[in-house]
Amino acid sequence: GKYLAAGRVDRIVSLIDPDRGVVLKDLHGHTESVTACCFSPGNEVLATSSRDATIRIWPIESQKRAKGKLNCAVLQHNNAQVLSIVFSGNGHLLASGSEDTSVCLWDTETLLSGRELLGATRPVRISRGRHRYGVRSLAFSPLPHELLASADLNDIFLYDMRRGGSSTLHPII
């Protein structure tokens, strides 16, 4: 199905049917304002992040006919406000950026299968302290091993997950 999601300052995420222009369901769980919403490539899973330092993974397609509250997986992000999230092109990874300047990767394929492995409920941190400010924007490149992360004031890094490192990109001004 195709949906829109709207995160709100009142801690609620609204799942919207864009064709009919109606709210299908309000998702409750975050304890602070919602900072980002991101669907997996097939729109089967919705990830939401919040100032409460959590990421919630909502399996929308598997529960779309469910009445009442949707179940979700809760990921804790280093006790820092999560400002940005993005799924990789194949949906197997979720990247998150936070106020504490860290960028983390989460193994969503493992998480959604119910297996408890490293990278599922605990992130694989690829950066901390390289950014001067909170990481507000993330984007995977068409190449599955590259992730672009930016913060304020021309603070942009390209992460190459094959090398485990990063290189600074100079913005065009």
Side-chain angles (χ1 to χ4, degrees):
K2 76 178 170 182
Y3 308 104
L4 295 175
R8 304 180 347 204
V9 295
D10 64 358
R11 307 177 311 264
I12 296 171
V13 176
S14 294
L15 191 61
I16 300 164
D17 178 336
D19 293 330
R20 297 185 298 152
V22 297
V23 173
L24 299 173
K25 194 172 289 248
D26 283 333
L27 308 176
H28 300 267
H30 286 295
T31 59
E32 295 289 336
S33 61
V34 177
T35 56
C37 299
C38 180
F39 283 100
S40 64
N43 275 2
E44 297 164 350
V45 175
L46 172 65
T48 60
S49 62
S50 171
R51 294 196 178 280
D52 67 7
T54 67
I55 300 165
R56 292 181 185 265
I57 307 293
W58 310 85
I60 300 298
E61 279 301 311
S62 65
Q63 299 184 48
K64 72 179 180 181
R65 297 194 198 314
K67 301 289 185 205
K69 186 176 179 181
L70 287 181
N71 293 323
C72 67
V74 180
L75 307 175
Q76 186 70 41
H77 193 291
N78 307 325
N79 295 318
Q81 298 176 12
V82 184
L83 303 175
S84 54
I85 50 176
V86 66
F87 277 101
S88 62
N90 62 12
H92 295 174
L93 293 174
L94 179 74
S96 59
S98 70
E99 188 67 35
D100 73 354
T101 75
S102 67
V103 175
C104 295
L105 289 178
W106 306 84
D107 178 351
T108 57
E109 187 175 40
T110 302
L111 175 71
L112 295 173
S113 71
R115 292 177 285 160
E116 290 288 325
L117 297 175
L118 180 64
T121 57
R122 290 180 294 171
V124 176
R125 181 178 297 144
I126 61 172
S127 170
R128 182 166 186 168
R130 300 207 23 98
H131 294 276
R132 291 174 288 173
Y133 302 95
V135 179
R136 301 194 183 288
S137 181
L138 296 164
F140 276 97
S141 96
L143 300 174
H145 59 272
E146 291 181 343
L147 175 69
L148 190 68
S150 68
D152 294 331
L153 299 175
N154 303 328
D155 189 13
I156 301 171
F157 287 87
L158 178 66
Y159 294 94
D160 184 339
M161 271 76 79
R162 293 177 304 184
R163 296 181 299 182
S166 66
S167 59
T168 302
L169 293 182
H170 300 283
I172 299 171
I173 300 176

